[in-house]
Amino acid sequence: MLRETHVNALILLALLAVPLGALVLDQPFIITLATKVTILALAGVGLNLALGQGGLVSFGHAIFFGLGGYSMGILASHAQSFTPLMEVPFVIPGTNLMPVIWIVAIAVSCLAALVVGALSLRTSGVYFIMVTLAFGQMFYYFAISWPAYGGEDGLSIYVRNQFPGLNTLVPIQFFGLCFAVLCAVLFLVSRLNKSAFGLALTGAHYSPVRAMSVGIEVTRLRLVAFVISGGITGLAGALFADLNRFVSPTMFSWHTSGEIIIFIILGGVARLCGPIAGAAAYIILEQYLGGFSEYWQIYLGLILLFVVLFAQGGLIGSLSKREIVRG
Amino acid sequence: MSALLELRGITASYGVSQALFGVDLSIGEGELVALMGRNGMGKSTTIKVICRLLKNQAGTVAFAGQDLTRLPAHRAARLGLGLVPEGRRCFSNLTVWENLYASARPGPWTRARIHDLFPRLEERSDQLAGSLSGGEQQMLAIGRALMTNPKLLILDEATEGLAPVVRREIWAAIGALKQQSGLSILVVDKTLSELRQIADHATVLERGKSVWHGRLDDLTPELKDTYLGI
């Protein structure tokens, strides 16, 4: 069996190689698909911190994905229409600068995760799933009934936002940007997982009482993980909205939360690059099985059943041993 | 000698079932105290109350001059309670090194000192805790509790179910801890022969109540028969 670090390196290399090959072969659609995989994987990396390390099965992570998307949509739409976001008590203009949008998306998502987490972490197990799902549906229906920003029809952004020094309208450049963000987040999450915080989170996942008896404040630990997780998923939402140049209430729907969970299960729960493998597998299945049948999700369901019953480590777990933190 | 831990008139229940009916216990700085009694007499329940894993209904729990009764378990642990729970409960999904690192708080107990006490843990550093033998898991559980740099180490049935050779190793380590570290230790066990050698004094529980305090040498055969079934 391979070491997980080697499998992770291979996955990242493959994710980089595919769009570069597509560039050579002049297949921009493949580059866009690889960008989609990268962004959805980023959302999965965010949820994996809460679900994989912390054991928090959140069915409401679409909230943060949607908030990231709407942060981008609202700021960019105001920038495009040259109208300020707010005039009283002070003027807040819109912006089409990605770094600013990302900061806003992360801040808004973290704040929402703090509120949702503080309330939902009072429960556990199936009740936690239900509370996060309920919060997700609240945001979904709020977005539907918010006509100022498109309501049910969503909000279109006509030009992709800008990043200094890059032409984000060129697919390979936008992919490169998303890939760099994913690598940076993977590095941060990897450091976090190996820290005392990450190990305590993993320990508390399997035995909260044992964790408490060594002085670990389990609820606060989980809340911090939930907030970081929400921030990462929010960043993914902002990038996803920029990829499609469109945001809609669908980003908040429970289907989106479910899809992010599927990426993690397919790729490997609590595996650093599991969400990348999972998102890639999902998009490949969607593209190729979708060509045979519009009911392609039946096959996805069968694959998920197989993974849950026979390969619980997902794609990464089947190929590698768990990575050990060394002292 | 000032009391590090003082329990007075503790009563506690699991739902409607009362388990403790008045437990008194006192442990001084640097003392090793044995908490004894037959199965089901309330020893582990008393430990849970001390560590705030179970709330007491009446009585007081004072540790290092602080009232613990309103504190959650993690706050009590941070004041210096190091629990080695019954059943060698490590984080089985983490490695030996990760178990020690995840629990570490600043103080004299470091990983190097734990390895001096239990050299086998150094050899098993990269092994998952769940794959260790029972004795090694117990050593890890003690090491993990020591990594929190406690003022009081609480060992709940630390040698139960272990092979005789491993039990001797654990008892030797507990003895060394008492001699070398000056740590206060509370041991819940039924092994009178070993406890007699290292315990400063003992408290015996009977049906959820402390019924005897004193030096184990003063425990008469009649009392042993009545309270410990030996």
Side-chain angles (χ1 to χ4, degrees):
Chain A
M1 228 177 206
L2 295 165
R3 282 184 57 185
E4 189 176 333
T5 323
H6 297 153
V7 174
N8 289 348
L10 284 173
I11 286 172
L12 284 171
L13 276 174
L15 183 59
L16 189 61
V18 168
L20 288 176
L23 181 69
V24 173
L25 298 170
D26 194 24
Q27 295 284 335
F29 176 66
I30 302 287
I31 300 173
T32 303
L33 276 186
T35 311
K36 190 175 174 184
V37 168
T38 307
I39 295 169
L40 293 177
L42 182 65
V45 169
L47 177 59
N48 208 12
L49 183 66
L51 191 153
Q53 306 303 127
L56 304 169
V57 186
S58 166
F59 238 93
H61 257 56
I63 296 169
F64 317 121
F65 195 66
L67 282 174
Y70 269 86
S71 297
M72 172 275 181
I74 292 168
L75 286 169
S77 69
H78 281 279
Q80 283 177 12
S81 62
F82 301 102
T83 54
L85 196 65
M86 198 170 86
E87 284 178 295
V88 179
F90 44 82
V91 177
I92 298 181
T95 179
N96 56 9
L97 272 176
M98 281 190 192
V100 178
I101 289 168
W102 295 350
I103 291 167
V104 173
I106 292 169
V108 168
S109 306
C110 284
L111 191 65
L114 183 68
V115 175
V116 173
L119 294 168
S120 54
L121 282 168
R122 290 162 180 261
T123 63
S124 59
V126 71
Y127 300 103
F128 179 81
I129 298 173
M130 285 298 116
V131 172
T132 50
L133 178 64
F135 270 114
Q137 290 305 95
M138 275 168 56
F139 276 87
Y140 174 69
Y141 285 108
F142 177 76
I144 278 183
S145 56
W146 200 13
Y149 295 107
E152 203 166 359
D153 297 329
L155 188 62
S156 291
I157 305 301
Y158 302 106
V159 181
R160 189 170 286 156
N161 293 301
Q162 297 164 9
F163 190 90
L166 290 178
N167 181 356
T168 54
L169 288 170
V170 178
I172 194 69
Q173 292 197 26
F174 186 57
F175 166 81
L177 183 62
C178 295
F179 186 77
V181 170
L182 177 66
C183 288
V185 170
L186 283 174
F187 175 74
L188 286 175
V189 170
S190 149
R191 300 300 302 168
L192 206 60
N193 289 346
K194 291 173 184 173
S195 69
F197 168 85
L199 294 174
L201 187 67
T202 308
H205 172 182
Y206 290 93
S207 178
V209 174
R210 270 169 248 180
M212 279 190 285
S213 70
V214 292
I216 295 165
E217 191 178 353
V218 175
T219 307
R220 199 162 85 171
L221 188 79
R222 287 177 171 168
L223 182 59
V224 172
F226 195 77
V227 169
I228 298 171
S229 163
I232 296 170
T233 309
L235 175 61
L239 286 169
F240 192 74
D242 241 326
L243 174 71
N244 298 324
R245 280 171 271 179
F246 177 67
V247 284
S248 77
T250 314
M251 287 183 82
F252 284 113
S253 84
W254 68 272
H255 290 98
T256 307
S257 297
E259 280 176 7
I260 304 173
I261 292 175
I262 288 172
F263 306 152
I264 295 171
I265 293 171
L266 278 180
V269 176
R271 304 291 186 146
L272 184 66
C273 286
I276 305 175
Y282 186 91
I283 296 298
I284 291 167
L285 287 171
E286 186 183 37
Q287 289 303 313
Y288 290 97
L289 289 178
F292 295 117
S293 164
E294 62 178 303
Y295 304 111
W296 67 276
Q297 276 143 329
I298 292 173
Y299 304 106
L300 175 71
L302 288 173
I303 292 167
L304 262 183
L305 267 178
F306 177 82
V307 170
V308 170
L309 291 175
F310 303 109
Q312 286 187 356
L315 288 166
I316 306 262
S318 307
L319 293 170
S320 66
K321 288 191 288 188
R322 176 185 175 274
E323 194 177 5
I324 300 293
V325 176
R326 282 166 206 281
Chain B
M1 192 176 283
S2 63
L4 178 68
L5 177 75
E6 188 95 43
L7 268 67
R8 285 283 165 260
I10 295 297
T11 66
S13 302
Y14 296 103
V16 292
S17 172
Q18 188 164 353
L20 299 182
F21 294 86
V23 173
D24 298 322
L25 177 70
S26 178
I27 303 171
E29 300 268 3
E31 276 187 336
L32 192 150
V33 175
L35 184 62
M36 304 183 76
R38 288 175 294 173
N39 285 340
M41 291 299 131
K43 302 184 297 295
S44 294
T45 306
T46 304
I47 299 301
K48 283 182 186 165
V49 169
I50 295 170
C51 296
R52 311 315 300 152
L53 297 169
L54 180 69
K55 285 182 181 169
N56 53 306
Q57 290 162 320
T60 56
V61 185
F63 177 70
Q66 293 206 46
D67 180 12
L68 296 190
T69 42
R70 288 171 187 270
L71 293 186
H74 68 272
R75 293 266 309 274
R78 283 184 196 175
L79 286 176
L81 291 171
L83 174 65
V84 179
E86 191 181 5
R88 306 178 276 280
R89 292 175 186 148
C90 304
F91 296 126
S92 53
N93 54 324
L94 300 183
T95 65
V96 169
W97 187 87
E98 290 169 346
N99 262 277
L100 297 177
Y101 184 51
S103 318
R105 281 202 295 279
W109 282 100
T110 59
R111 200 157 52 105
R113 269 190 86 183
I114 304 293
H115 289 161
D116 287 342
L117 188 67
F118 298 119
R120 243 193 280 181
L121 292 184
E122 188 168 15
E123 295 161 22
R124 302 275 188 266
S125 212
D126 287 346
Q127 201 170 318
L128 282 178
S131 68
L132 299 175
S133 70
E136 289 164 346
Q137 286 192 33
Q138 189 59 275
M139 291 171 196
L140 178 57
I142 296 173
R144 192 186 59 179
L146 288 171
M147 284 295 280
T148 66
N149 277 288
K151 293 179 185 141
L152 172 67
L153 182 69
I154 302 169
L155 299 138
D156 191 2
E157 307 278 13
T159 61
E160 196 178 55
L162 298 178
V165 64
V166 183
R167 290 164 74 105
R168 279 197 292 278
E169 211 173 327
I170 301 285
W171 281 118
I174 297 170
L177 275 174
K178 188 198 172 191
Q179 294 296 323
Q180 295 160 19
S181 68
L183 193 65
S184 301
I185 303 172
L186 174 63
V187 181
V188 174
D189 214 288
K190 301 186 202 78
T191 324
L192 194 59
S193 54
E194 274 85 1
L195 284 173
R196 204 191 288 275
Q197 291 173 33
I198 57 170
D200 293 301
H201 61 92
T203 292
V204 175
L205 298 187
E206 174 73 8
R207 296 185 185 186
K209 203 169 177 181
S210 41
V211 290
W212 188 86
H213 305 276
R215 289 172 52 79
L216 281 171
D217 287 339
D218 300 334
L219 197 64
T220 61
E222 292 76 29
L223 288 172
K224 272 193 263 178
D225 184 48
T226 309
Y227 295 135
L228 306 176
I230 300 169

